[in-house]
Each structure stands twice: as structure tokens, then as C-alpha cells.
Amino acid sequence: MVRTQYQSPDLIDAIAYDGADPATDPLWHLSGAASRAEYGRWCRHCCGMACLQMVLEHRDGQAPTLFALLRGCTAAGGYVEQPDGGIAGLLYRPFVDYVRATYGIFAQVCPDLTMDGIRDELNQGRLVMASVHKEIRRPDREAPGRGGHLVLVTGHDRELIHFRNPSGHSDAARYGVLAAQTFATFFAGRGVSMSLRAQP
């Protein structure tokens, strides 16, 4: 199952490409947000929390709400509200500390991650939260940049990379399968690996 950072996946196309306000999402309350305004402000930053939901659901069969994870991660320093109203994060080191302490997930920051490195992590039974450009949802177009959005890489098959995209605007985009060389054009070379096994 793919968890998205927006509670109504069918609205993602309009949010991403037509300027729709995510606060109008009729299912906003399922996120655990206290209000539409809170949901509208934060959901664009919740790709990492949606990835964490998927990891926890895979391990436990269930997961806290998006905003329960967001609040816990923010309290741990994973997100920082800026004086100008902006939001910094997801910050990897506090996130890793948070998931280790709260959920017993052995996570590691991977600041210099190659495509071979992703495969190695997957081969060792880990999942990889990878920093990619959000336009990976439209891989038929040239990548406009690298990084800034998080997807959960779940497997590989020869030269194919399988991942779950929390801001995918279609089923094909949410359940992503790309040639490694195409994935690499969107990939920033950094991320977080997470093991579902007991911490060493």
C-alpha cells in the first residue's frame, strides 16, 4: 500500500499542477491535523512522514497518523519552523534519532549514496528513503533537478528500481518502477536507510 502526504490521492494532480489548495482536501481530518489550516501548511512537507508510515505499516500492520508522526519528529528536531514562516526539513539526523528511539527502527543517514549503494542497502534487507526531485512522478520528461522530495525505495530487479512515491499523481507514479539510469537523473545522492530488523 502506498501512503501519500495528501489524504485524497486523486487530488494530487490538481495540487501539483493546477494550483489547488491542499487545505480544501475533504479528507484532511484523517491526517491527524488539528485544522484545515494546519494540514494545508504542513502536508507539502510530509513526504518523509508518509514514507515512515509505509515502513511502520510494513513492519507492524499499522501506523500512527501522518501528523502524529510529524509532531513527534518535529519535537525531535526533524522539522524547524523558520522566523519567516517557512519550514526547514526533513532533517535527516534528528529523523534517524527519532525513529530509532521511538520505533526501534535501525536507521542510518546516507549522505553519499550511489545507485549501487541503494542496491546494496536493499540487498541487505533495508528500505531506502531517497531524496529525488518531485518531478520523478513524470519520468518521461527531463529531470529539472535533483532532490527536495522523498520516496521510499523498496526493491530492485536488475536495472529496475521499485519505489513508492508519496506525491504520485497517478497509480503508476505512486507505485514507481524506473530504469536505474532514469531514477539517477532525479536522485540527489543522499537519503536514509532503514532496517526492520532489531537494532544491532
Side-chain angles (χ1 to χ4, degrees):
M1 177 180 178
V2 175
R3 285 284 195 158
T4 58
Q5 63 198 90
Y6 306 102
Q7 295 303 291
S8 295
D10 59 329
L11 295 181
I12 294 175
D13 188 87
I15 292 169
Y17 299 117
D18 297 331
D21 182 353
T24 62
D25 187 336
L27 300 181
W28 68 268
H29 58 284
L30 299 179
S31 69
S35 66
R36 282 185 180 273
E38 183 184 40
Y39 175 78
R41 181 182 180 217
W42 283 91
C43 61
R44 294 183 189 275
H45 301 273
C46 285
C47 49
M49 297 302 96
C51 289
L52 179 56
Q53 278 188 314
M54 289 187 273
V55 171
L56 291 171
E57 284 188 335
H58 181 67
R59 187 187 70 177
D60 303 334
Q62 60 184 358
T65 64
L66 197 70
F67 274 68
L69 296 175
L70 174 67
R71 292 188 185 104
C73 190
T74 299
Y79 293 92
V80 178
E81 296 190 63
Q82 304 294 296
D84 64 0
I87 298 168
L90 182 64
L91 305 178
Y92 293 169
R93 177 55 60 192
F95 171 77
V96 163
D97 292 342
Y98 167 64
V99 298
R100 284 185 175 190
T102 307
Y103 297 106
I105 294 173
F106 180 65
Q108 299 182 85
V109 178
C110 302
D112 300 299
L113 192 59
T114 63
M115 294 306 300
D116 283 342
I118 287 179
R119 293 186 188 92
D120 288 343
E121 294 291 331
L122 296 169
N123 290 341
Q124 294 180 62
R126 300 182 186 118
L127 301 173
V128 177
M129 199 166 66
S131 178
V132 299
H133 193 279
K134 62 185 179 182
E135 279 300 295
I136 199 168
R137 63 168 83 94
R138 299 195 294 189
D140 55 313
R141 306 183 181 207
E142 184 177 352
R146 300 172 189 262
H149 175 60
L150 293 165
V151 299
L152 186 67
V153 185
T154 58
H156 72 94
D157 178 15
R158 298 181 181 176
E159 289 304 310
L160 296 178
I161 298 294
H162 298 256
F163 61 97
R164 304 291 182 260
N165 185 355
S167 74
H169 66 310
S170 66
D171 283 343
R174 287 187 282 274
Y175 292 89
V177 181
L178 288 180
Q181 62 184 15
T182 302
F183 187 94
T185 65
F186 295 88
F187 178 46
R190 59 181 179 270
V192 174
S193 73
M194 290 180 278
S195 175
L196 303 183
R197 300 170 184 156
Q199 295 188 39

